[in-house]
Amino acid sequence: MELRVIDKTDEQLRLEIAGEDHTFMNVLKGSLLETPGVAAATYDVNPEQSGGQTEPILTLKTESGVDPLDALADAAGRVQEMTTAFRDAFEAAL
């Protein structure tokens, strides 16, 4: 996974997340939308970028005073917690 910041302001972040698809992006977007201070989170797959590759672009908007990088870090941490909990439950079920 490669990340490339396209644009960042105090309350907005646009980030290319190379090598991912709808599966990961939907999970990340869902976690972002549950993050306090996040006003909007969406992604788009644009085939005109990177020589025809379809790398997703995440767009994140936060409320005043909330740094979008902090919000993204919080959301990513929750995704990690969810996957760890799933793995533990799966191993316990075996």
Side-chain angles (χ1 to χ4, degrees), residues 30-46:
S31 184
L32 280 163
L33 292 172
E34 294 174 356
T35 301
V38 171
T42 188
Y43 73 92
D44 187 30
V45 178
N46 186 349

Side-chain angles (χ1 to χ4, degrees), residues 6 11-17 21-22 24-34 38-46 55-62 72 75:
I6 297 169
E11 297 169 357
Q12 184 170 332
L13 174 67
R14 292 187 67 233
L15 181 71
E16 180 182 61
I17 305 177
D21 60 16
H22 291 287
F24 176 77
M25 296 304 295
N26 277 315
V27 171
L28 182 58
K29 181 182 85 170
S31 184
L32 280 163
L33 292 172
E34 294 174 356
V38 171
T42 188
Y43 73 92
D44 187 30
V45 178
N46 186 349
E55 305 299 354
I57 304 291
L58 175 72
T59 301
L60 168 62
K61 293 182 182 180
T62 59
L72 181 57

